[in-house]
Amino acid sequence: METSPVATEDRPRCSPAPPPAPRSSEARAALRDSAGVGLAFLPLGLAYGALVTQSGLEWWWAGLSAALVFGGSFEFLLIGMVAASAPLASIAVSALLVNLRHVFYTLSFPLHRVGGRLGKTYSTYALCDEAYALTTGERARAWSSRRILWLQFFLHLYWAASSTVGALLGSFIPDRVTGLDFALTALFTVLALDAVRDLRGHLATPVLAVLSALFARLLFPGQMLPAAFALFTAALLGRRLATSRTPRHA
């Protein structure tokens, strides 16, 4: 049986899937996404590198610890512990307590969108507060695996490079220069404001934090800080469960 040309033309044709974005464009997009945080990393890295040399350690300690540890606030604590020859067990416990917050990041960090075992391994290793804040926002929900990995790589590079430069130039930074330590506070404030703006229709995180602190002050005045952290964690988990069960309308 012959098929008429008209019948053939009436058949629906499947449009080809759009090609993936080139790697160069993904890298450029990630570079733009990370530029603001990279500028904030610069004074932090310079201050950290200067602290390394002023603590009596060799300059290469700054770049090495920044590349291998990549722990941000813990690295400032680590330098003091290394300079004081603290026991290894104390360093391990301190690292666990300071970076324990990363456990809760897994609740919403888009690791499922990162492809490959090697990519997931690096993404887990390079997870920091800034990468979490940038990749869990509203505009990052469509980011590809390469874009997330490039973003984390650039943040890693900013920190290691600025720390190394700070160690090399640490002796030239005068003692009267102040305000470098406030850069971390300002950075977290901006990231927190962006995260709060993304939580449309949900109970804001600062409100949960204030309520947790008030309840902890009333119920556990002698152990306010750990109680407040426990209540705040429970509130975040409860909000996460409540929002995941809420049906989304198209």
Side-chain angles (χ1 to χ4, degrees), residues 27-46:
R28 287 195 298 269
L31 183 61
R32 291 193 301 268
D33 298 328
S34 62
V37 176
L39 290 177
F41 272 7
L42 181 59
L44 290 175
L46 293 176

Side-chain angles (χ1 to χ4, degrees), residues 47-121:
Y48 173 68
L51 177 64
V52 169
T53 56
Q54 292 174 5
S55 299
L57 301 175
E58 297 291 337
W59 66 269
W60 49 265
W61 261 96
L64 182 64
S65 61
L68 297 182
V69 179
F70 195 43
S73 56
F74 172 68
E75 290 181 51
F76 284 88
L77 177 63
L78 177 64
I79 292 303
M81 300 182 73
V82 171
S85 301
L88 185 60
S90 300
I91 296 177
V93 172
S94 300
L96 175 63
L97 294 177
V98 173
N99 295 321
L100 188 61
R101 66 190 185 280
H102 289 188
V103 175
F104 301 100
Y105 288 172
T106 59
L107 296 174
S108 51
F109 182 73
L111 187 62
H112 60 281
R113 298 210 309 265
V114 178
R117 181 175 300 179
L118 184 61
K120 290 181 182 295
T121 300

Side-chain angles (χ1 to χ4, degrees), residues 20-32 144 146-147 150 154:
R23 294 186 179 182
S24 58
S25 62
E26 296 280 10
R28 287 195 298 269
L31 183 61
R32 291 193 301 268
S144 65
R146 289 198 298 266
R147 186 166 178 175
W150 274 114
F154 284 132

Side-chain angles (χ1 to χ4, degrees), residues 22 31 68 89 92 98 104 119 124 133 142 152 160 168 173 180 189 201 210 224:
L31 183 61
L68 297 182
V98 173
F104 301 100
T124 303
Q152 292 186 271
L168 293 173
I173 299 178
L180 292 178
T189 301
V210 172
M224 178 182 173

Side-chain angles (χ1 to χ4, degrees), residues 184-208:
L184 182 61
T185 304
L187 173 62
F188 283 147
T189 301
V190 173
L191 294 176
L193 291 175
D194 288 340
V196 169
R197 282 197 292 264
D198 286 339
L199 294 175
R200 301 182 181 91
H202 302 311
L203 189 59
T205 301
V207 176
L208 293 179

